[in-house]
């Protein structure tokens, strides 16, 4: 691809589904959209879109191009917005739905630096699984799974590595502790239920409560590897069936692309992580890149 502007046409049609709607989005006409996409199709030598009952849909190969275009668009918007307004002038509150474990390990240690840079911008961080980005009930979400609602933007910011642990020197049996039932869809809970073939002896509201239970019992339970890295009091149950790596995605609604406050918080969150294919702390020895049991 020699002309980067072609990405705009690919992105517009993937969002709009029709040539006419894509043209309106770009401020041009349907003939121009069709011509540019035909030109690009000839250049790459592969079909870019297929037609179904809902309109034009990108092929699997084109989806990677769409995601690239979305990242470029978001990064450019973010750069423009941050240049447009001094950090000290940003004010108000941005709400973030985030798992407690991720918040403790990545966001909390960097809150002082955030406040120093954005003294008038407040953050409201809490796990809100039932709040909708599409309806504006929250501003940003940090999730393990990609969004299913429409018109949401997502970016992989890190990886979450979980495994099962027990008190050092203990030989675990069938007794284990897990999270509340609302978390049964998480990989760590699915793995525990399959491995132990029974419900946990106790269900707790957070991983920190499970950690305290493990330290004071002979039971096994899930932990984020970053949380117990170098702990010394817990040891890993070395079974690949109990180890999982999941991508961590930062998600927001497409209409907020030009929201200076949200984009500032988004940039800060990205910098809290060690990298999209690294574990949250960047130090865990599990092969995150290959993705065990994703």
């Amino acid at each position: 691809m020699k002309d980067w502007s072609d990405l705009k046409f690919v992105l517009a049609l993937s969002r709009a589904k029709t040539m006419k709607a894509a043209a309106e989005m770009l401020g041009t006409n349907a003939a121009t959209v069709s011509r540019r996409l035909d030109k690009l199709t000839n250049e790459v030598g592969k079909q870019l879109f297929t037609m179904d009952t809902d309109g034009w849909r990108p092929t699997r190969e084109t989806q990677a191009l769409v995601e690239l275009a979305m990242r470029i668009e978001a990064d450019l918007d973010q750069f423009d917005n941050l240049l447009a307004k001094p950090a000290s002038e940003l004010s108000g509150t941005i709400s973030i739905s985030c798992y407690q474990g991720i918040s403790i390990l990545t966001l909390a240690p960097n809150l002082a630096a955030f406040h120093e840079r954005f003294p008038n911008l407040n953050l409201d961080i809490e796990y809100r699984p039932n709040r909708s980005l599409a309806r504006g009930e929250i501003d940003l979400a940090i999730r393990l799974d990609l969004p299913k609602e429409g018109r949401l933007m997502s970016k992989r910011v890190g990886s979450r590595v979980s495994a099962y642990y027990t008190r050092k020197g203990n030989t675990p049996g069938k007794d284990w502790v897990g999270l509340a039932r609302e978390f049964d869809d998480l990989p760590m809970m699915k793995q525990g239920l399959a491995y132990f073939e029974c419900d946990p002896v106790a269900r707790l509201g957070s991983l920190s409560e499970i950690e305290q239970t493990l330290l004071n019992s002979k039971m096994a339970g899930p932990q984020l590897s970053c949380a117990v890295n170098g702990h010394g009091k817990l040891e890993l149950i070395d079974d690949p069936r109990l180890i999982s790596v999941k991508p961590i995605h930062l998600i927001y609604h497409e209409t907020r692309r030009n929201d200076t406050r949200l984009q500032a918080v988004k940039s800060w969150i990205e910098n809290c992580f060690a990298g999209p294919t690294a574990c949250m702390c960047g130090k865990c020895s599990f092969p995150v890149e290959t993705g065990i049991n994703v």
Side-chain angles (χ1 to χ4, degrees), residues 4 23 25 32 39 48 70 82 90 101 110 112 136 158 200 208 227 236 285:
W4 285 100
M25 188 179 293
T32 299
K39 172 178 170 288
L48 297 177
M70 291 171 66
L82 291 178
L90 297 179
N110 293 287
S208 58
L236 172 73
S285 59

Side-chain angles (χ1 to χ4, degrees), residues 78 82-83 85-90 110-121 263-265 267-268 271:
Q78 177 182 320
L82 291 178
L83 285 179
K85 194 171 187 178
S88 60
E89 292 185 15
L90 297 179
N110 293 287
L111 284 173
F114 177 87
H115 179 65
E116 185 175 344
R117 183 176 180 188
F118 303 102
N120 299 310
L121 189 55
Q263 292 299 328
V265 176
S267 179
W268 169 73
N271 289 326

Side-chain angles (χ1 to χ4, degrees), residues 61-185:
E61 293 84 358
T62 308
Q63 187 59 42
L65 198 60
V66 170
E67 292 172 3
L68 172 62
M70 291 171 66
R71 291 196 298 271
I72 291 174
E73 179 186 60
D75 288 344
L76 287 173
D77 284 343
Q78 177 182 320
F79 183 73
D80 288 342
N81 288 332
L82 291 178
L83 285 179
K85 194 171 187 178
S88 60
E89 292 185 15
L90 297 179
S91 61
T93 300
I94 294 293
S95 58
I96 304 169
S97 177
C98 179
Y99 300 108
Q100 185 187 71
I102 295 177
S103 175
I104 290 172
L105 291 167
T106 60
L107 305 187
N110 293 287
L111 284 173
F114 177 87
H115 179 65
E116 185 175 344
R117 183 176 180 188
F118 303 102
N120 299 310
L121 189 55
N122 300 322
L123 299 179
D124 184 1
I125 306 170
E126 186 180 353
Y127 180 56
R128 302 178 177 91
N130 299 318
R131 298 287 181 90
S132 171
L133 287 162
R135 294 192 297 271
E137 295 171 347
I138 52 172
D139 300 308
L140 285 162
I142 299 174
R143 294 281 185 268
L144 299 181
D145 296 310
L146 285 169
K148 296 179 180 178
E149 296 176 280
R151 300 186 67 191
L152 296 183
M153 313 266 306
S154 65
K155 182 174 183 178
R156 181 172 176 174
V157 293
S159 296
R160 185 235 59 187
V161 185
S162 70
Y164 272 66
Y165 294 82
T166 188
R167 191 174 65 191
K168 194 169 184 178
N170 178 50
T171 301
K174 283 289 186 180
D175 291 341
W176 66 293
V177 288
L179 291 167
R181 292 188 185 279
E182 66 180 294
F183 298 104
D184 276 357
D185 285 336

